[in-house]
């Protein structure tokens, strides 16, 4: 299974591929700036000396959202029930939406995804997503999605919370698929991190 991650609002994208593998990457630039300027005391004519002066200090923290570098996870023998876990670096200093979409909705055979004869060329799977958040107390968002749901596209909304750092994604296959064609099976899932600006 292959997972690609990118950000729609900012530049960043990375992908990797292996049958039954997981990959994620996203990058957003970060910058900060601060400034100070003198504000005349309200009500005093311009240019007059005074023994009172107001100084306004202000600064800016730019949005910073990122998903870490990709990795490969092999689901192994698909005739057996399998579970694979990916610990994903995910950070965002403002509320965000995490969108997920699958290309096929199943792990498909590399050559004959539609199957052949009495043998199937597709393996169903599930994906469990868990993202810790701060609101300001620690909370979480997530869900368990089937391949068909992911093909239609799903989204997780942090509402007013920000990322607490990291995310856990678990993939599972049911096993007992004795009618499968021999060969490699794969899927492509795209994760999109969208900061709410």
């Amino acid at each position: 299974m292959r997972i690609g991650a990118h950000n729609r609002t900012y530049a960043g994208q990375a992908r990797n591929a292996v049958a039954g593998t997981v990959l994620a990457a996203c990058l957003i630039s970060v910058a900060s700036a601060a400034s100070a300027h003198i504000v005349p005391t309200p009500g005093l004519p311009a240019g007059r000396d005074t023994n009172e002066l107001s100084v306004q200090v202000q600064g800016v923290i730019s949005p910073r959202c990122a998903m870490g570098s990709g990795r490969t996870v092999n689901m192994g023998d698909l005739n057996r029930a399998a579970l694979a876990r990916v610990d994903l670096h995910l950070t965002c200093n403002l509320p965000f939406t995490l969108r997920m979409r699958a290309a096929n909705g199943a792990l498909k055979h590399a050559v004959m995804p539609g199957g052949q004869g009495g043998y199937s060329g597709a393996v169903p799977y599930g994906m469990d997503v868990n993202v810790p958040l701060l609101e300001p107390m620690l909370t979480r968002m997530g869900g368990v999605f089937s391949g068909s749901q992911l093909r239609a596209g799903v989204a997780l909304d942090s509402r007013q919370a920000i990322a607490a750092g990291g995310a856990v994604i678990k993939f599972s296959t049911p096993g007992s698929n004795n009618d499968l064609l021999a060969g490699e099976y794969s899927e492509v899932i795209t994760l999109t991190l969208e900061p709410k600006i």
Side-chain angles (χ1 to χ4, degrees), residues 36-197:
H37 63 276
I38 297 175
V39 180
T41 303
L44 289 177
R48 284 191 60 182
D49 292 335
T50 177
N51 61 355
E52 182 179 326
L53 186 70
S54 297
V55 177
Q56 180 178 338
V57 180
Q58 63 186 30
V60 174
I61 299 296
S62 298
R64 181 182 183 277
C65 294
M67 284 189 285
S69 59
R71 65 193 66 192
T72 299
V73 177
N74 195 330
M75 298 297 289
D77 185 353
L78 296 174
N79 280 309
R80 303 174 182 174
L83 178 66
R85 169 178 170 145
V86 174
D87 293 306
L88 176 67
H89 171 75
L90 188 155
T91 181
C92 198
N93 64 355
L94 72 166
F96 64 95
T97 300
L98 180 62
R99 300 187 185 278
M100 296 161 284
R101 183 177 294 273
N104 302 313
L107 288 140
K108 291 293 186 77
H109 191 274
V111 180
M112 296 184 176
Q116 184 179 33
Y119 293 91
S120 173
V123 178
Y125 68 89
M127 187 172 86
D128 184 342
V129 182
N130 194 324
V131 183
L133 303 171
L134 291 172
E135 195 185 20
M137 301 298 293
L138 184 64
T139 183
R140 295 180 180 275
M141 72 174 185
V144 179
F145 308 102
S146 66
S148 58
Q149 287 176 311
L150 290 166
R151 184 178 182 183
V154 297
L156 296 175
D157 187 346
S158 75
R159 299 185 184 276
Q160 297 303 311
I162 63 173
V168 176
I169 301 177
K170 296 178 182 178
F171 294 93
S172 60
T173 53
S176 300
N177 295 303
N178 296 320
D179 60 344
L180 289 172
L181 283 174
E184 292 188 352
Y185 290 73
S186 64
E187 166 70 301
V188 176
I189 301 173
T190 301
L191 307 179
T192 303
L193 184 62
E194 296 180 351
K196 296 180 183 178
I197 297 179

